Amino acid sequence: MRTAGHFDHADSTIRAAKTALVEEFAAIAHEAGCSLPELVLAFDLAHPQVTSAILGPRTPDQLTSQLGACEVTSTSSTPARLDALVRPGADADPADSPYPQPVSRHE
């Protein structure tokens, strides 16, 4: 069970690191001409090992904003740039994962 402190990211170092990651992901989305949710969904949809992407909108407006992911085209370097920020199979904060972090083939 998660505690309120976990979600509040009481650790300022972790909070700052996650904020920096979001800002970097948002910059990549801006360069691609899309929103951050569209970029993330487009990344999933374009990945050859992903068979489906699950949307999670709570409102019709959120659904509409996520459907734009089907129209996103990225450069060939976009996946590598995203992977460089958070390696495949890893969590930005190891405390977010209930399982041991995988060994990356990039290490």
Side-chain angles (χ1 to χ4, degrees):
M1 188 165 139
R2 306 277 180 157
T3 63
H6 173 82
F7 292 106
D8 293 339
H9 303 291
D11 183 322
S12 62
T13 303
I14 292 172
R15 188 173 54 251
K18 285 186 169 188
T19 299
L21 278 173
V22 170
E23 289 170 356
E24 291 184 69
F25 278 117
I28 293 170
H30 179 75
E31 290 172 23
C34 63
S35 69
L36 187 51
E38 288 173 330
L39 177 73
V40 172
L41 287 168
F43 176 80
D44 287 346
L45 292 169
H47 196 286
Q49 293 178 328
V50 173
T51 58
S52 65
I54 300 173
L55 302 178
R58 289 177 293 177
T59 67
D61 288 340
Q62 286 178 350
L63 174 62
T64 301
S65 73
Q66 292 175 10
L67 292 176
C70 295
E71 305 300 321
V72 173
T73 56
S74 62
T75 66
S76 59
S77 66
T78 300
R81 290 176 66 197
L82 297 174
D83 284 347
L85 294 174
V86 179
R87 72 173 196 246
D91 291 298
D93 177 3
D96 287 340
S97 178
Y99 52 87
Q101 293 296 294
V103 174
S104 173
R105 66 179 186 277
H106 301 290
E107 293 178 348

